[in-house]
Amino acid sequence: MTPRNVLKISFLVIVLLLCFLYVSAGAFQIEVSPHEISPGDAFIVKVTDIKTVRLPAISLGKNRFYFAKCGEGCFLAIGAVGIKTKPGDYILKLRIGKKTKNLKLFIKHTDFPAMRLTLSEDKVSLSPEDKRRVKRENKRLKAIFRRVSRRLWEGDFLLPLENDLSTVFGTKRIINNKKISVHSGVDIRGQEGEEVLASNNGKVVFAKELFLEGNTVILDHGLGIYTIYMHLSGFNVNSGNSVSKGDAIGFVGSSGRSSGPHLHFGVKVRDINVNPVSFVELEL
Ligand SMILES: [Zn+2]
């Protein structure tokens, strides 16, 4: 073989190698599941076989969701849409390094139940002082839910109490013929004093009494994901504690504005109220 031919073959090998590297770098797999959801549901975006070490980024409109590592070359993000999202096709924007990809997400039309109640005015309206307290408390909660800390959750989230639901997510509460609120979580039946379990590993960022919600625990699971436990009769944790999935964090009660012992369980993803049932069904 002439030196000229050796040079030619070497050049060809290098070109082929570069082509192979280029193709394999772009051959990552993407999965959105479920890709058809209801308003208020959570979803997962999983990217596998990525050769890059940099975290991908995903957004839906103005909302950004955060990826966590799920193994070698595997990244996973939990996203959600608000309950007021209109049905139709939506585009998730995925960025991996310098590449962007549009992913489809379909929001289906969903009818949420309505609950009509007739109550005396003193049970519906708040005094100016109580109104100020509620406003103050809501502002404080909002500041908590905006924070994005490091990931603590591991694997699937669980329901904190294994009983039937008494009020589902999204129920419209119509009191004295006026639409008062939309149920931001689920109500789970329970006996006074029954143990309430941590839905996943996390940090206690709130364990105090609130005017409407009663004794409330909030767990920060990292990456903008929080779970909320309301109307407790008592606490088993303090703010600042670390908890593991399944730890007893408090006890079922009827504190705050509540008509009897039950657990109100809520989930927040990037400050969006998420249907806890759709959330615990995610395969993480
Ligand atoms: Zn509730």
Side-chain angles (χ1 to χ4, degrees):
M1 216 185 282
T2 62
R4 203 189 161 92
N5 277 349
V6 169
L7 209 69
K8 260 189 190 170
I9 287 166
S10 313
F11 180 72
L12 204 69
V13 166
I14 288 168
V15 167
L16 278 173
L17 198 69
L18 284 174
C19 281
F20 172 76
L21 282 176
Y22 180 77
V23 168
S24 63
F28 51 82
Q29 308 288 315
I30 307 162
E31 193 193 339
V32 178
S33 64
H35 57 267
E36 213 181 289
I37 58 171
S38 290
D41 278 358
F43 58 88
I44 299 171
V45 180
K46 198 172 186 178
V47 187
T48 45
D49 297 328
I50 313 188
K51 302 290 182 280
T52 164
V53 283
R54 269 212 264 151
L55 277 176
I58 188 102
S59 56
L60 177 61
K62 280 184 200 157
N63 291 320
R64 183 178 169 196
F65 307 107
Y66 292 88
F67 274 95
K69 220 169 172 352
C70 49
E72 201 48 47
C74 172
F75 296 92
L76 185 143
I78 302 174
V81 294
I83 192 160
K84 286 185 180 158
T85 314
K86 299 256 181 301
D89 282 311
Y90 286 82
I91 298 291
L92 292 162
K93 287 203 179 300
L94 174 72
R95 211 177 59 240
I96 300 176
K98 282 179 183 154
K99 286 183 189 158
T100 53
K101 240 181 153 35
N102 289 344
L103 313 174
K104 273 190 191 167
L105 182 71
F106 182 72
I107 318 284
K108 57 190 173 192
H109 177 86
T110 307
D111 285 317
F112 292 99
M115 200 164 84
R116 287 178 182 278
L117 290 169
T118 307
L119 294 171
S120 61
E121 264 318 300
D122 61 304
K123 287 229 165 134
V124 185
S125 53
L126 299 174
S127 71
E129 195 189 320
D130 292 343
K131 254 187 206 163
R132 277 196 295 275
R133 179 174 166 191
V134 169
K135 212 173 153 185
R136 237 185 1 253
E137 290 175 347
N138 286 344
K139 210 171 150 187
R140 192 166 166 203
L141 296 182
K142 192 102 186 144
I144 292 176
F145 298 133
R146 278 209 198 105
R147 262 180 256 148
V148 179
S149 43
R150 73 185 174 89
R151 174 210 179 166
L152 296 170
W153 60 266
E154 273 310 326
D156 295 356
F157 283 72
L158 49 88
L159 282 177
L161 192 61
E162 282 292 331
N163 295 336
D164 293 342
L165 301 186
S166 55
T167 312
V168 298
F169 175 83
T171 304
K172 288 169 254 182
R173 262 182 292 209
I174 302 158
I175 302 174
N176 303 342
N177 282 326
K178 257 198 289 187
K179 191 175 142 191
I180 299 290
S181 64
V182 172
H183 200 219
S184 61
V186 289
D187 287 346
I188 308 175
R189 292 182 203 279
Q191 305 284 321
E192 176 95 22
E194 237 181 296
E195 279 187 347
V196 172
L197 311 182
S199 183
N200 209 317
N201 304 341
K203 192 178 166 196
V204 182
V205 285
F206 190 91
K208 259 191 188 146
E209 196 214 344
L210 294 166
F211 183 78
L212 297 172
E213 299 87 346
N215 295 327
T216 301
V217 169
I218 301 175
L219 299 183
D220 179 2
H221 303 286
L223 306 182
I225 294 161
Y226 294 84
T227 52
I228 307 131
Y229 312 79
M230 296 178 188
H231 307 301
L232 303 173
S233 60
F235 300 104
N236 204 31
V237 287
N238 290 310
S239 192
N241 288 165
S242 288
V243 293
S244 298
K245 195 192 295 190
D247 283 354
I249 52 170
F251 308 95
V252 172
S254 189
S255 56
R257 280 226 167 160
S258 161
S259 52
H262 74 282
L263 173 73
H264 173 104
F265 176 52
V267 175
K268 288 263 193 189
V269 174
R270 300 291 282 125
D271 203 22
I272 298 169
N273 286 318
V274 172
N275 184 349
V277 174
S278 83
F279 193 73
V280 298
E281 279 170 1
L282 297 176
E283 284 172 29
L284 298 167

